[in-house]
Amino acid sequence: TKISGVELRRIAMPLVAPFRTSFGVETSRDVLLVRVVTPDGEGWAECAAMSEPRYCSEYVDGAQDVLRKFLVPALPKDGVDAQAVGRILHPFTGHRMAKSALETAILDAQLRAAGESFGSFLGAARDRVPCGVSVGIMDSVPELLDAVEGYIAEGYVRIKLKIEPGWDIEPVRVVRERFGDELLLQVDANAAYTLTDAQHLAKLDEFGLLLIEQPLANDDVVQHAQLAKLLRTPVCLDESIESATDAAAAISLGACSVINIKPPRVGGYLEARRIHDLAAAHGIPVWCGGMLETGIGRAANVALAALPGCTLPGDTSGSSRYFATDLTEPFVLSDGHLDVPTGPGLGVEPLPDVLREVTTSSEWIAL
Ligand code: OSB
Ligand code: MG
């Protein structure tokens, strides 16, 4: 694929409700879109980096800077295959979300030109995926129960509660009591605890949770292995897994028995598929996480969620869980599932009117 240039476009997407986690509150998504232009067409991707470096070290201004200064200029002028992008960008350390956005936009352009969908390219095993929803920390238990009740009524097949010290055992207890033992329920701490909280976290054991996601710090993989021995709830890693190498180490240490795969966090969909394959070979279930994506990022995530090893429902919620108006045709839940897009590439594109409305800036980087 010969690339003539790359547009870096910033959009502001207000969330339908504030989303609170142990690391902060999001009220609006400041998204960097990457559009790759080739002689045969274009390719789109969105960068998952958030406005502040709290979930991980990347943040959206930094991602735009590294793309402009280093990643885009490193692309060969005579054309590049998406499969080669990872190797070309490898000399630049870190910045996986920025790298993922560039690789994904190139892959989208390539697949659109070839008439193949992301799902087909990645190896999707089904045409629709069951969907979970991530429920933020609320100001009160009644508010939480209302939110969960609403999501269950919409058809979500799995509920994930965000937890932090002071908002953990009680919210889980009331949700379990109110909605029953059949509800697929899990929690996500976003690294809010330390190993000294093991006895406290073991109080979650009685609630039959599917998993506890990232209880300890991002770089506490050894401590996760120790914690896993003290809990009956399966430990799932999110932030700690930035590559297939990390996944292999975590699995062999016994630091996790489940992995949340977020392609942007690991540098792209190709690395995400390697983690999927590695986990499958070890009998480790995986699921597709999310970063409050617009329809552009969601389309690719839904394709990944359709891989055979993604045996748990993902955080691939419908557009309305996030935005009053999505950037693309909305993803709408049907019977708790989202359809995997079948059109070429991502199978969706930004709606021109919405794109114009939400754009806050744009720059063009010629190659
Ligand atoms: O830890 O999974 C997480 C959102 C932003 C950053 C980190 C996380 C999340 C979510 C929501 O839990 C996932 C989604 O619905 O996109
Ligand atoms: Mg998480």
Side-chain angles (χ1 to χ4, degrees):
T1 308
K2 175 126 176 50
I3 297 167
S4 31
V6 176
E7 184 192 19
L8 302 179
R9 186 188 274 256
R10 289 280 281 278
I11 63 172
M13 298 285 292
L15 293 169
V16 290
F19 181 64
R20 182 166 150 216
T21 65
S22 64
F23 64 81
V25 188
E26 253 14 78
T27 54
S28 178
R29 201 68 177 83
D30 177 0
V31 180
L32 169 63
L33 296 176
V34 174
R35 182 173 66 100
V36 159
V37 177
T38 78
D40 318 315
E42 53 184 33
W44 286 91
E46 89 178 77
C47 180
M50 305 182 88
S51 46
E52 298 184 4
R54 296 183 183 272
Y55 165 79
C56 67
S57 63
E58 289 186 82
Y59 63 103
V60 63
D61 287 341
Q64 185 162 351
D65 194 61
V66 78
L67 278 159
R68 177 199 306 119
K69 284 198 186 120
F70 300 106
L71 306 183
V72 173
L75 297 176
K77 306 225 179 305
D78 49 346
V80 62
D81 188 278
Q83 304 268 10
V85 171
R87 237 176 305 125
I88 292 165
L89 302 182
H90 183 75
F92 303 106
T93 59
H95 296 285
R96 290 180 170 84
M97 291 178 172
K99 290 174 176 177
S100 172
L102 186 54
E103 180 188 87
T104 304
I106 293 169
L107 183 55
D108 182 40
Q110 198 170 305
L111 292 176
R112 278 181 206 268
E116 185 177 14
S117 72
F118 255 71
S120 156
F121 172 79
L122 291 172
R126 42 187 175 263
D127 56 15
R128 53 178 216 149
V129 299
C131 298
V133 59
S134 176
V135 185
I137 294 166
M138 306 266 163
D139 292 332
S140 70
V141 164
E143 264 179 84
L144 175 68
L145 289 174
D146 281 353
V148 171
E149 182 170 36
Y151 290 132
I152 292 172
E154 286 180 56
Y156 287 101
V157 305
R158 183 226 70 191
I159 299 290
K160 159 168 143 182
L161 302 182
K162 290 293 194 177
I163 60 168
E164 67 181 1
W167 182 266
D168 44 27
I169 316 298
E170 268 322 289
V172 169
R173 182 193 310 282
V174 296
V175 167
R176 185 50 97 203
E177 278 171 6
R178 172 79 170 68
F179 301 102
D181 290 342
E182 298 304 301
L183 176 68
L184 300 183
L185 184 63
Q186 64 192 53
V187 293
D188 185 359
N190 288 109
Y193 297 89
T194 69
L195 192 53
T196 60
D197 297 310
Q199 288 318 309
H200 179 71
L201 294 173
K203 293 181 197 154
L204 293 170
D205 282 349
E206 65 173 290
F207 302 113
L209 300 179
L210 284 171
L211 56 90
I212 178 169
E213 183 177 341
Q214 197 70 38
L216 311 180
N218 302 20
D219 55 0
D220 270 357
V221 177
V222 172
Q223 288 91 331
H224 276 101
Q226 291 168 337
L227 180 67
K229 293 200 189 79
L230 302 171
L231 303 182
R232 262 186 293 138
T233 307
V235 172
C236 171
L237 290 175
D238 173 355
E239 286 90 327
S240 291
I241 307 296
E242 296 186 350
S243 64
T245 307
D246 286 351
I251 291 169
S252 66
L253 271 169
C256 61
S257 49
V258 185
I259 295 175
N260 167 342
I261 303 182
K262 286 180 188 168
R265 190 193 67 223
V266 303
Y269 289 81
L270 299 173
E271 186 75 356
R273 188 172 57 182
R274 286 191 279 273
I275 295 175
H276 164 275
D277 295 351
L278 172 88
H282 285 85
I284 298 280
V286 300
W287 53 282
C288 183
M291 293 289 295
L292 313 175
E293 283 93 346
T294 74
I296 290 292
R298 189 160 314 284
N301 285 346
V302 169
L304 184 89
L307 298 203
C310 291
T311 52
L312 291 168
D315 282 344
T316 49
S317 308
S319 296
S320 66
R321 183 258 171 269
Y322 311 94
F323 311 111
T325 308
D326 204 340
L327 183 60
T328 62
E329 286 297 331
F331 282 79
V332 180
L333 224 59
S334 155
D335 187 26
H337 290 66
L338 288 182
D339 289 336
V340 180
T342 53
L346 296 172
V348 298
E349 45 279 311
L351 299 169
D353 290 348
V354 179
L355 183 63
R356 208 172 314 114
E357 185 82 5
V358 298
T359 294
T360 54
S361 69
S362 162
E363 64 176 306
W364 175 254
I365 304 170
L367 228 75

